[in-house]
Structures are given as C-alpha cells and as structure tokens.
Amino acid sequence: MSAQPVTPALREWIVAQATAGHPPDVVLKSMLASGWQEGVAITALEETLREHLNDHAKTSGLPPPAIVPEPLAGLDNSTLHANEHEVRVLVAMRNPRIIVFGGLFSGSECDQLVECARARLVRSETVQLATGGTEVNEARTSEGMFFARAETELIDKLEQRIAALLGWPLENGEGLQILRYLPGAEYKPHYDYFDPKESGTASILKRGGQRVASLVCYLNTPEKGGATVFPDVHLDVAPCKGNAVFFSYDRPHPMTRSLHGGAPVLEGEKWVATKWLREGRFD
Ligand code: PD2
Ligand code: ZN
C-alpha cells in the first residue's frame, strides 16, 4: 500500500474537528471510514493536535517551556547504569513523559528508608499556594516527613544515584519526602508544579524556581490498591517495591497532562519516597 501524505488540508480538518469538540477517537473513526491507514491516521492526529496545542500556548500567553530532565536522552537501552547501579526501563511514554523504572532501590535500601522515617511521620500537608505556607488537606490523607538533602550516608548515595539516572543536578532536587498511606489513605489527583496564578507562588519560586519533574519511588508493595494514576492518559502504575515512576512537566500548565494521584490503598500500607526536581538550585 503506498504511503498516504498528511496534507495541510488534512491538518486543518483535524484541528476543525477538535475545535468543534469531537474527541480524538471519534475523529480517528471518521478518518478510518474515509480510507486512512490506521498508523498514518494516528500519527497525523497526534502530531497535529500537539502542534495545535503548542501554537495555542504561544498565542494565549502561557508560560514558555522549560528544560526538563530526560533520563533516556540519546539512549536506546532498556537497562541504564546510574552510579554502578543497574536500573531497568519498564515503561516509557513520550507525551506526557512518564517512565517506570525497575530496581531503582534495593530491598534493603527501601527497608532502611522506611525505618529511618517511621518515628518522624506527621500528617501530610500540602503547600498552601495563597500564602506559600502549608496546610492539612482532605485530598491528602497520608503521613509524611522530609529528609534534608544528604542527611545520612544512604540518602546521599540514593540522591547521587537519582541525579545520575535523571541527568539532573543533585542541587536542583528537594529533600527526599517519605509518605506512608494506611488503608483508605489516598492523594487525590493534583499537579506537582506551583500554580503561577496563586499569590504564594512567587515566594516559593525564589528558592529553586518551578518544579519540572517528580520521581515517586515505591518502598514496599501494598497488598491491594495504591497505584499512582495519571487520569489524563488513563495510566495506572502499580506500586512495586524498589521501582519508581518518573514524570516531567515543562511548564506549570494542565497542557502537560501531568495530573496524577495516589489511588486509595485497599489493603496493607503503602510507603513511597518522592523526589521533586526544580529548574534551578534548591539551596
Ligand atoms: O504516592 C503516590 O503514588 C503519589 C501520587 C501523587 C505521590 C505523589 N503524588 C507526590 O508525592 O507528589
Ligand atoms: Zn504528586
């Protein structure tokens, strides 16, 4: 079958369909019905809509894109080496950028983090963007604590491993946050970046600028529930001891599709360590 050219007229038609409110799967169906090859149609749809969103972002004064960590830049391997430690790439999604790593932490490293954090847990708070302070929030029913950067030898070693894996300066990382979810606890879907429209954001950004990526590392395997969910792309990542999910967002805007949450834990506990990466040094 000869290649079908994606013409400017087709791109215009796709944008018109999307603007009229037709969801991508409906647009795809009508392309297939008019004889488009499935692969060509999907690529044309994805590329056209992404370009359209980017153009829209430029003209509507949205924040410009930042440089974000890209762990797989120039690599075609399913196994990476981060400071002598072997890490497997289990899932890699491009848009939004989501990567699931296998074996980032060893079982014993996970256990040690849990035991160091246990006695220091307090009910988790979220950043109160109106003031730049923090508050207890019903959307987040976990308990947590923060380690200072390089607080112990183990934390220093893990932070160096993460910096090597992500290719992002260690100094741009916030301290490791440990969270424990008991049965029923959850973290409702949210964005990890700071909303530029909120009045407290300017003061938060003075230290390190925006968050541009997150790495959620699983320190145990809950018996049931507790997936990290990405509702915009219908992706659920099962928590599995030693694995981690990475995702980046190049601007503080929902167009990054980085909305994510921690689904309720149904049985057992869930422990995670979260590393947030800033644009600049977080000193
Ligand atoms: O524990 C999780 O799965 C989770 C989900 C959403 C953690 C975070 N966000 C976070 O620490 O930001
Ligand atoms: Zn989050």
Side-chain angles (χ1 to χ4, degrees):
M1 205 183 279
S2 65
Q4 294 178 312
V6 179
T7 60
L10 174 66
R11 290 182 191 275
E12 264 171 44
W13 178 82
I14 290 173
V15 170
Q17 299 300 303
T19 312
H22 301 302
D25 55 320
V26 173
V27 182
L28 178 63
K29 246 193 204 152
S30 45
M31 287 175 78
L32 298 181
S34 21
W36 284 91
Q37 293 155 19
E38 192 173 31
V40 177
I42 290 172
T43 307
L45 250 180
E46 280 181 351
E47 286 180 0
T48 306
L49 293 178
R50 194 173 319 135
E51 273 166 28
H52 177 62
L53 276 176
N54 282 336
D55 289 348
H56 173 74
K58 271 184 225 147
T59 52
S60 59
L62 290 174
I67 294 172
V68 300
E70 177 38 63
L72 305 185
L75 298 172
D76 52 8
N77 252 336
S78 59
T79 302
L80 306 179
H81 292 271
N83 288 359
E84 315 295 308
H85 186 92
E86 199 174 286
V87 181
R88 286 177 306 283
V89 176
L90 302 181
V91 176
M93 181 183 271
R94 256 185 210 292
N95 183 24
R97 190 48 153 162
I98 300 173
I99 303 174
V100 182
F101 292 114
L104 177 60
F105 294 169
S106 72
S108 134
E109 289 165 344
C110 292
D111 296 344
Q112 288 176 64
L113 282 179
V114 166
E115 286 325 312
C116 284
R118 192 183 289 281
R120 287 163 59 182
L121 294 177
V122 289
R123 171 75 192 265
S124 294
E125 298 196 332
T126 44
V127 173
Q128 192 180 24
L129 286 168
T131 62
T134 57
E135 62 185 348
V136 167
N137 188 327
E138 270 320 300
R140 193 179 189 190
T141 47
S142 53
E143 301 151 285
M145 55 80 65
F146 273 95
F147 284 113
R149 243 182 10 226
E151 185 174 325
T152 66
E153 242 173 65
L154 172 67
I155 287 166
D156 189 31
K157 181 169 94 176
L158 298 179
E159 287 175 333
Q160 293 198 33
R161 185 182 301 163
I162 290 171
L165 177 74
L166 304 184
W168 202 248
L170 191 145
E171 298 73 28
N172 293 20
E174 296 182 30
L176 211 51
Q177 182 200 227
I178 308 292
L179 291 178
R180 174 176 73 171
Y181 301 78
L182 294 175
E186 66 180 318
Y187 196 173
K188 294 233 169 76
H190 60 275
Y191 298 98
D192 281 352
Y193 57 72
F194 304 107
D195 185 344
K197 290 199 282 295
E198 294 285 351
S199 52
T201 293
S203 112
I204 295 170
L205 298 188
K206 282 189 195 139
R207 190 176 173 206
Q210 263 295 356
R211 287 179 178 160
V212 287
S214 310
L215 181 73
V216 178
C217 314
Y218 304 108
L219 303 181
N220 79 326
T221 306
E223 268 103 76
K224 211 170 169 193
T228 304
V229 300
F230 295 84
D232 288 348
V233 285
H234 311 286
L235 177 71
D236 295 1
V237 178
C240 195
K241 186 171 181 175
N243 291 0
V245 59
F246 164 87
F247 51 100
S248 62
Y249 24 97
D250 65 1
R251 50 188 123 199
H253 192 273
M255 71 176 288
T256 57
R257 301 200 290 170
S258 60
L259 184 70
H260 65 286
V265 172
L266 302 175
E267 267 176 43
E269 294 183 357
K270 174 187 172 193
W271 288 80
V272 300
T274 300
K275 182 61 125 176
W276 285 299
L277 292 317
R278 299 288 190 107
E279 296 174 279
R281 291 178 66 100
F282 184 79
D283 291 320

